[in-house]
Amino acid sequence: MTRTLAPRRPKASRSDRGRRVFDDRDDVDFAEPRLGAFEQKLRVDKQKAAVIQALDRRRPDTAARFVDELVREQIGSGRSDLAAKSLCDLATHAEERGYPRLVTQWLESAVSLNARDPVAWSQFIGFRRRGGQTRELLEWTAQMLRRFPNNVYAYTARGEVLRAEARLREACDVYDRAVQLFPGNVFALNSRAVTLKGLGRLEQALV
């Protein structure tokens, strides 16, 4: 008796396994096993693209869910620092598209995940400052400066907040220290000059 064999299904390529196009169902499957470093980067890029697309489609809840999945996976792989960087990156896109609630949530999480990253602190403080929350920022920038006494971001962020509060003498002291530690930093030099002009010390501002 002759047995009829069923045709074999084509084997899915590695790049297709676990992949689904982001469509109106808001369902993306990011599952993919044991990826190498290059493949992992491609995977993260894909996840970030899905978040940005959700933001563009005015679906903040979907974007938040995708970010939660991305961050959970990066933390699970022992890379909380990369999770913090992803949150900072995506917070920039969320701010550009007008989602302050998501920006606040993601930047707070970034600082919490990697409190040793001065860039995350600076981005968080900058966003809060643009929102006009300078009084709260006085404490946050003081904390940042205590944490990062050898980082230019800590000094310039502190100086900007003090200057916004019209505490020009204190701001000038901060910028003096920044210029002393980082003599080639253009932003610190310019901020110091502007502050000196505000104090009426024009000759020093030109130095």
Side-chain angles (χ1 to χ4, degrees), residues 17-20 22 27-33 35 43-51 65-67 69-70 73:
R17 288 201 297 269
R19 180 166 296 181
R20 192 180 294 174
F22 176 62
D27 188 11
V28 177
D29 182 4
F30 294 123
E32 208 163 331
L35 299 178
R43 172 180 167 80
V44 169
D45 289 344
K46 171 189 169 184
Q47 290 171 290
K48 288 182 178 180
V51 173
R65 177 163 59 85
F66 290 168
V67 168
E69 292 173 4
L70 169 59
E73 290 180 15

Side-chain angles (χ1 to χ4, degrees), residues 19-123:
R19 180 166 296 181
R20 192 180 294 174
V21 177
F22 176 62
D23 57 22
D24 289 336
R25 294 173 298 176
D26 289 344
D27 188 11
V28 177
D29 182 4
F30 294 123
E32 208 163 331
R34 297 183 183 178
L35 299 178
F38 178 72
E39 291 169 307
Q40 182 64 30
K41 182 182 182 303
L42 292 178
R43 172 180 167 80
V44 169
D45 289 344
K46 171 189 169 184
Q47 290 171 290
K48 288 182 178 180
V51 173
I52 295 168
Q53 191 174 39
L55 292 172
D56 286 338
R57 293 187 177 191
R58 316 306 295 177
R59 294 175 179 173
D61 291 341
T62 299
R65 177 163 59 85
F66 290 168
V67 168
D68 287 345
E69 292 173 4
L70 169 59
V71 170
R72 185 167 57 248
E73 290 180 15
Q74 289 184 306
I75 293 174
S77 66
R79 295 305 304 268
S80 294
D81 58 328
L82 292 183
K85 290 183 185 299
S86 293
L87 286 163
C88 289
D89 179 28
L90 293 168
T92 299
H93 291 283
E95 184 175 3
E96 290 171 351
R97 290 159 176 79
Y99 292 103
R101 179 182 62 83
L102 291 179
V103 179
T104 300
Q105 177 184 331
W106 293 347
L107 290 180
E108 285 180 349
S109 295
V111 171
S112 176
L113 283 170
N114 192 10
R116 294 175 297 178
D117 182 7
V119 176
W121 276 79
S122 181
Q123 187 173 345

Side-chain angles (χ1 to χ4, degrees), residues 134-139 141-142 158-175 195-196 198-199:
T134 52
R135 293 198 177 276
E136 291 178 337
L137 289 174
L138 286 169
E139 175 56 30
T141 53
R158 178 68 174 168
E160 288 295 292
V161 172
L162 288 170
R163 200 169 65 183
E165 287 288 295
R167 294 165 61 170
L168 298 185
R169 293 186 184 279
E170 292 174 78
C172 192
D173 290 342
V174 172
Y175 288 130
T195 306
L196 286 168
L199 289 169

